[in-house]
């Protein structure tokens, strides 16, 4: 069964750090790009960061660039999101999702959508 | 404000047909990027419903269909069922300065 399980969420004070993990199984993790998406309480989905299959290409939304770092370990079938300098507005459920983007030069192809999602892990930033 | 615009809510009676709009611009849908649709049932993670504008993943009923025209896309559900009550999000790729992957604000479907 194709599955992804997030962990690492919790309550943290503003300015603090957390490291989210996403354990993948049931597919060849190393051949897929991966993405983090978050959802603030009562709000819609927001793309956070994406990483290509071999970590050659990494992208962040403006609001987290310089504070968050996405990484992956293909040997461990795992995706990570290191979150530093956390703010109240980072409070959300964080989902990892299997994605399928490709990069050719400066062109990014976004095909097949984000086709597998984890159940999410909750991050609360509050004093 | 989300880059893709969706109406906040849509409602329909069982058996009816409902449509969801997703309005973008020349830097995303209008730039020939595909649109993907996700269904989020209450309290659950999103699920891919339509990919590459018109395609259904395995297991998604053919009651769900997608289309695109110009800078907008649409999702249609026919034969509406009570279990279709959920939030629906469109997603595409944006080439503007603040771009990359973008979602619509979501549409809440109520089956009355």
């Amino acid at each position: 069964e194709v599955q992804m399980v997030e962990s690492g969420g919790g309550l943290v004070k503003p300015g603090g750090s957390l490291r989210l993990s996403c354990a993948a199984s049931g597919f060849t993790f190393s051949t897929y790009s991966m993405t983090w998406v978050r959802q603030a309480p009562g709000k819609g989905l927001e793309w956070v960061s994406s990483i290509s299959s071999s970590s050659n290409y990494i992208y962040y939304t403006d609001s987290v660039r310089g504070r968050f770092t996405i990484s992956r370990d293909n040997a461990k079938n795992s995706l990570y999101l290191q979150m530093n300098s956390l703010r109240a507005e980072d409070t959300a459920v964080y989902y990892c999702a299997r994605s399928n983007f490709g990069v050719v030069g400066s062109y990014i192809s976004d095909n097949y959508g984000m086709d597998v999602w984890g159940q999410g892990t909750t991050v609360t930033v509050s004093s | 404000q989300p880059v893709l615009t969706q109406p906040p809510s849509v409602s329909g009676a069982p058996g009816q047909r409902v449509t969801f709009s997703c309005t973008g611009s020349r830097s995303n849908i209008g730039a020939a990027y595909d649109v993907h649709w996700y269904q989020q049932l209450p309290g659950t993670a999103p699920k891919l419903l339509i990919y590459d504008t018109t395609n259904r993943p395995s297991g998604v009923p053919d009651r769900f269909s997608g289309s695109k025209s110009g800078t907008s896309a649409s999702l249609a559900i026919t034969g509406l069922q009570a279990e279709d009550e959920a939030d629906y999000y469109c997603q595409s790729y944006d080439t503007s300065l603040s771009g990359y992957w973008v979602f619509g604000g979501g549409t809440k479907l109520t089956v009355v």
Side-chain angles (χ1 to χ4, degrees):
Chain A
E1 178 191 6
V2 175
Q3 191 175 4
M4 294 187 300
V5 179
E6 301 94 335
S7 60
L11 174 64
V12 61
K13 290 182 168 54
S17 299
L18 275 178
R19 188 193 195 209
L20 305 184
S21 298
C22 171
S25 60
F27 65 98
T28 307
F29 180 75
S30 61
T31 64
Y32 286 89
S33 51
M34 296 293 295
T35 291
W36 288 99
V37 174
R38 67 184 178 184
Q39 186 170 34
K43 302 295 185 182
L45 303 174
E46 179 187 20
W47 171 74
V48 175
S49 180
S50 293
I51 185 169
S52 61
S53 58
S54 56
S55 304
N56 288 344
Y57 300 97
I58 288 175
Y59 307 96
Y60 300 99
T61 192
D62 289 346
S63 63
V64 310
R65 187 176 294 113
R67 300 188 299 122
F68 290 11
T69 302
I70 191 172
S71 63
R72 63 190 297 163
D73 185 335
N74 287 343
K76 295 183 178 179
N77 291 338
S78 293
L79 174 73
Y80 306 102
L81 187 67
Q82 177 67 43
M83 304 187 297
N84 298 331
S85 302
L86 282 161
R87 306 166 180 169
E89 53 265 36
D90 296 318
T91 294
V93 176
Y94 285 73
Y95 297 100
C96 63
R98 190 176 78 173
S99 49
N100 298 274
F101 74 86
V103 181
V104 178
S106 61
Y107 178 76
I108 295 178
S109 63
D110 176 40
N111 299 117
Y112 306 109
M114 300 172 195
D115 62 349
V116 182
W117 294 65
Q119 85 290 349
T121 188
T122 300
V123 172
T124 303
V125 184
S126 174
S127 55
Chain B
Q1 291 286 9
V3 173
L4 304 178
T5 301
Q6 298 183 252
S9 61
V10 164
S11 64
Q16 281 190 334
R17 178 181 187 270
V18 295
T19 61
F20 303 77
S21 63
C22 175
T23 303
S25 67
R26 290 188 298 176
S27 64
N28 41 69
I29 299 173
Y33 277 98
D34 281 307
V35 178
H36 316 294
W37 292 89
Y38 303 88
Q39 178 192 58
Q40 186 175 34
L41 297 169
T44 70
K47 167 192 165 186
L48 180 65
L49 195 64
I50 297 287
Y51 68 93
D52 295 356
T53 304
T54 60
N55 298 297
R56 288 184 308 277
S58 174
V60 174
D62 60 5
R63 301 187 296 107
F64 296 88
S65 63
S67 63
K68 183 175 82 167
S69 178
T71 58
S72 295
S74 294
L75 169 71
I77 307 177
T78 58
L80 198 60
Q81 300 179 2
E83 54 262 38
D84 297 332
E85 189 161 289
D87 294 322
Y88 292 82
Y89 294 90
C90 60
Q91 178 254 309
S92 186
Y93 182 85
D94 190 275
T95 60
S96 66
L97 284 177
S98 59
Y100 301 128
W101 291 264
V102 290
F103 286 93
T107 298
K108 168 70 176 175
L109 170 65
T110 301
V111 180
V112 298

